[in-house]
Amino acid sequence: MEWYEVGLGLLGLLMLLIAIGLPIPFALAAASLPFLWQIQSFQTSLVSSQLKLWGVWIDYILLAVPLFVFLGELIGKSSIGPNLYQFLHQGVRIRGSAAYGSIGACAGFGAVCGSSMVGALTIGGVALPEMLRLGYGKRLSAGVLAAGGTLSVLIPPSLILLFYGIVTDQSIGDLFIAGVIPGLVLVTAFVLVVLVWGILRPQDIPDSEDAMRMPLMQILATVGPILLIGLVITVAIYAGIATPTEAAAVAALLTVALAFGVGGLTWQGFKEAIFATMRTMGYLGLLLSAGVLFGFVLTYYRVPQQFTELFLSFDLSPYVVLMIVLAFYIVLGMFLEPVSMTFITLPTIYPLMSAAGFDLIWFGVVYTITMEIAVLTPPVGLNLYVIQGIGRGQVTIGDVIMGCLPFIGALVALIALLILLPETALWLPDQMR
């Protein structure tokens, strides 16, 4: 079979299976099997599928994924995450402090948890009812929390950057450190969005807020664990003391101690964190295994290489190629969630970006920001439905979508900044080397 027949056949069959409601991991595997049978017998393909499944679950690098997920769940089930929002909200006596505190809390949570959905759920579960009680506009409240959850995806450790590094064979440490400055720029951009929103629609931000200051010991019990966990992860990876997997293991163990010691974690909460991690990894494990099988079929038929050669034969400008790829991901992000997109499309896209002359560490940051846009765009924007669910009828999906639009604009502006000044992402990794 020709490579383009395989590529179109895989894509068409995959979209058909997803459209009829088959879960994405099973759709990926089912789409791969007919083409796998063209090169292997039925019995051999069964063995190959089993080896791909087993290979994912024993991969040393991938052990970091359940550890980071578990870490985030522990913080969410204890009082550390919610108290972080309360501290930033109550400790800053300015107009709009609850909105700014939400952004700060999401950024702080992102420094110890790599999941956008967990970040939105943990901080949003506390912040959204409080912001609505204080009189903030529904769209601002929902938008700032849905968008704030995306900070967990860019500020290291990031699961999307971790998956990107695995698929493209790039340094996880370099990818993590490359996300730091863009992450801080994005926090600043979100703060500016809230500031401008307050000027244009002053009725959405109350003039005064009824909030008591936190006691000093509670502040220490809130900020201390976040700083300590973030410091352990950062220093261990970037000082060369530990690999990302080892750093995740030490940080997870430290989080267990801190969650029980100062975070008020109960045994019931601990069990819920374990089961939540198992449910997440059950899905991710199947998705990773199916993605590896899908990638094997693509690679065997040389679809990525042939696609790259075809694309480059049009002699397009590298930036035109980049714009086409970004537009493709923004449209695709309306229908697929980021992890699925990573394993379905990246094996084909990243050789094209490398051949076009783009640094793959830099593109990893741009790609991750594009994935942040994906979780904010309907009809499959995960963070939109998380925040709507937290709102319990007080906030509609329309309120969340409209509230996110200015923050999506900030994400697009950050991509433009990275294109104009690639050093925004590359300067810090260069210095670390």
Side-chain angles (χ1 to χ4, degrees):
M1 298 179 70
E2 296 292 336
W3 70 270
Y4 55 85
E5 294 175 331
V6 175
L8 292 174
L10 276 170
L11 183 61
L13 185 56
L14 177 63
M15 292 299 104
L16 174 64
L17 293 171
I18 292 173
I20 63 176
L22 197 66
I24 291 175
F26 297 106
L28 271 172
S32 305
L33 287 176
F35 299 94
L36 188 62
W37 292 334
Q38 297 294 318
I39 56 177
Q40 295 180 350
S41 66
F42 179 76
Q43 289 82 2
T44 305
S45 66
L46 287 178
V47 175
S48 296
S49 302
Q50 291 167 5
L51 289 175
K52 298 297 180 188
L53 177 65
W54 179 248
V56 165
W57 287 105
I58 63 171
D59 190 299
Y60 176 74
I61 297 176
L62 285 175
L63 282 175
V65 178
L67 290 168
F68 281 130
V69 171
F70 181 52
L71 189 155
E73 292 290 347
L74 284 172
I75 293 175
K77 294 294 188 294
S78 70
S79 62
I80 296 174
N83 281 351
L84 179 63
Y85 163 74
Q86 296 291 356
F87 162 68
L88 290 169
H89 161 35
Q90 298 174 8
V92 181
R93 294 293 179 169
I94 58 173
R95 184 170 178 265
S97 63
Y100 299 128
S102 297
I103 295 170
C106 288
F109 194 82
V112 294
C113 171
S115 171
S116 174
M117 190 170 68
V118 173
L121 190 61
T122 300
I123 304 301
V126 179
L128 185 59
E130 177 72 0
M131 291 180 72
L132 294 176
R133 182 188 71 80
L134 292 171
Y136 281 80
K138 292 182 179 179
R139 291 183 176 179
L140 174 60
S141 303
V144 75
L145 290 166
T150 66
L151 294 171
S152 297
V153 179
L154 187 57
I155 296 175
S158 161
L159 292 184
I160 296 299
L161 283 174
L162 180 62
F163 292 142
Y164 175 92
I166 292 167
V167 172
T168 62
D169 197 27
Q170 298 297 303
S171 165
I172 306 297
D174 283 352
L175 286 167
F176 279 2
I177 199 69
V180 171
I181 293 178
L184 295 176
V185 171
L186 189 59
V187 171
T188 305
F190 282 2
V191 168
L192 291 175
V193 167
V194 174
L195 184 62
V196 172
W197 192 314
I199 295 172
L200 297 178
R201 292 184 57 85
Q203 67 271 25
D204 284 349
I205 299 180
D207 293 325
S208 61
E209 299 179 10
D210 177 23
M212 298 177 60
R213 291 187 181 276
M214 291 177 69
L216 178 60
M217 291 306 296
Q218 192 174 356
I219 290 174
L220 293 176
T222 298
V223 180
I226 296 291
L227 291 176
L228 186 58
I229 296 166
L231 191 65
V232 166
I233 295 171
T234 304
V235 172
I237 294 175
Y238 304 129
I241 299 171
T243 64
T245 301
E246 292 163 348
V250 173
L253 184 60
L254 177 62
T255 305
V256 171
L258 292 172
F260 275 113
V262 299
L265 182 68
T266 63
W267 280 110
Q268 181 61 31
F270 182 71
K271 288 192 292 185
E272 289 175 1
I274 292 176
F275 287 131
T277 303
M278 292 171 66
R279 285 192 295 270
T280 300
M281 287 311 303
Y283 175 81
L284 285 180
L286 289 172
L287 181 59
L288 291 169
S289 304
V292 169
L293 188 64
F294 191 82
F296 170 74
V297 173
L298 284 174
T299 304
Y300 180 86
Y301 286 100
R302 293 182 54 81
V303 174
Q305 295 88 337
Q306 295 292 338
F307 177 77
T308 299
E309 291 178 11
L310 174 65
F311 215 94
L312 294 178
S313 68
F314 294 118
D315 200 24
L316 298 174
S317 161
Y319 290 100
V320 172
V321 174
L322 177 63
M323 290 301 108
I324 293 172
V325 169
L326 294 181
F328 163 74
Y329 273 124
I330 288 172
V331 172
L332 190 63
M334 296 179 181
F335 306 99
L336 288 177
E337 44 84 25
V339 179
S340 300
M341 279 193 285
T342 300
F343 288 96
I344 293 172
T345 64
L346 257 188
T348 302
I349 295 297
Y350 89 83
L352 172 63
M353 301 312 297
S354 179
F358 292 107
D359 185 289
L360 288 181
I361 297 294
W362 173 87
F363 180 66
V365 177
V366 173
Y367 174 81
T368 301
I369 297 167
T370 310
M371 294 303 100
E372 291 180 293
I373 297 174
V375 298
L376 298 177
T377 51
V380 192
L382 295 178
N383 284 20
L384 303 178
Y385 297 103
V386 168
I387 298 301
Q388 182 205 18
I390 293 170
R392 296 185 179 89
Q394 292 180 279
V395 176
T396 66
I397 192 64
D399 290 330
V400 187
I401 293 170
M402 295 302 295
C404 284
L405 291 179
F407 298 97
I408 292 175
L411 288 163
V412 173
L414 179 57
I415 291 176
L417 175 65
L418 286 166
I419 293 172
L420 293 172
L421 294 171
E423 295 81 9
T424 307
L426 296 177
W427 179 80
L428 200 53
D430 288 342
Q431 297 302 308
M432 295 299 291
R433 295 191 192 104

